[in-house]
Amino acid sequence: MPLGTKTKLYETPNHPFQGERIADEHDLVARYGLKNKEELWRAQSELRSYRREARQLLGATQGDAEAAESQEFLARLKKYGILDEEDSLDSILSLDVTDVLERRLQTVVYRKGLANTAKQARQFIVHGHVTVEGSRVTEPSRKVAVAEGDAVGFDSTSPLTDELHPERAEEQ
């Protein structure tokens, strides 16, 4: 493949006009404030790759190299909060796409109460109002590690740092 050629990061559905699937996708897009179904399909492809890797590791004979590789894989998923600390390789096969979507920066900002809606969280991120560990981030799809979760907040130069700002989320 020539340099500079991009490959698709997702797979489209095999049957494009299934009413039930379309309704489920529409619900997820609305609930997580995604821009379009492509973002959902990317998350589904990411989950598919996790499952594929887990099946390969489960099927491999458990030698020292495979055991170390499976521990690295589990540690990576636990770092991002996709798996809980007590979960094993078998747990990966039962994951849902919502487990991946919950670790997006957009969802973390919304769940922390920095925005009233998931769409507003996306807007705050794209407009540069959100920082992770002091660095401004403008990608709503960025995966947030569990350790970084507490370090998500408004940029110090953002007008949204003022708690009386009209766009700030209402305190419950």
Side-chain angles (χ1 to χ4, degrees), residues 24-109:
D24 290 343
E25 286 178 349
H26 181 72
D27 177 51
L28 286 171
V29 166
R31 186 173 355 142
Y32 288 97
L34 305 177
K35 184 172 126 187
N36 51 35
K37 289 187 181 175
E38 178 183 322
E39 290 188 337
L40 176 62
W41 295 336
R42 278 187 189 167
Q44 289 171 338
S45 292
E46 184 179 337
L47 178 62
R48 207 175 298 120
S49 72
Y50 292 156
R51 288 180 179 156
R52 185 179 308 119
E53 189 169 345
R55 279 194 305 272
Q56 287 174 348
L57 290 171
L58 283 169
T61 56
Q62 288 295 322
D64 290 338
E66 288 83 8
E69 193 175 332
S70 64
Q71 290 304 317
E72 282 179 23
F73 180 54
L74 285 171
R76 187 175 41 160
L77 292 180
K78 289 174 183 176
K79 171 185 161 190
Y80 284 110
I82 295 171
L83 286 180
D84 294 328
E85 285 301 317
E86 65 276 354
D87 286 339
S88 64
L89 276 175
D90 295 328
S91 308
I92 297 170
L93 300 177
S94 63
L95 287 176
D96 191 27
V97 71
T98 56
D99 297 316
V100 175
L101 292 172
E102 284 292 329
R103 297 314 305 165
R104 288 170 49 99
L105 178 60
Q106 177 178 355
T107 309
V108 171
V109 167

Side-chain angles (χ1 to χ4, degrees), residues 105-118 120-121 124 130 149 152-154 160 163 167-172:
L105 178 60
Q106 177 178 355
T107 309
V108 171
V109 167
Y110 173 59
R111 298 276 188 249
K112 272 191 85 171
L114 297 176
N116 291 317
T117 64
Q120 188 182 44
F124 287 168
V130 176
V152 174
F154 288 120
L160 293 168
E163 293 193 15
E167 291 300 319
R168 282 288 294 262
E170 303 296 322
E171 298 293 325
Q172 279 97 10

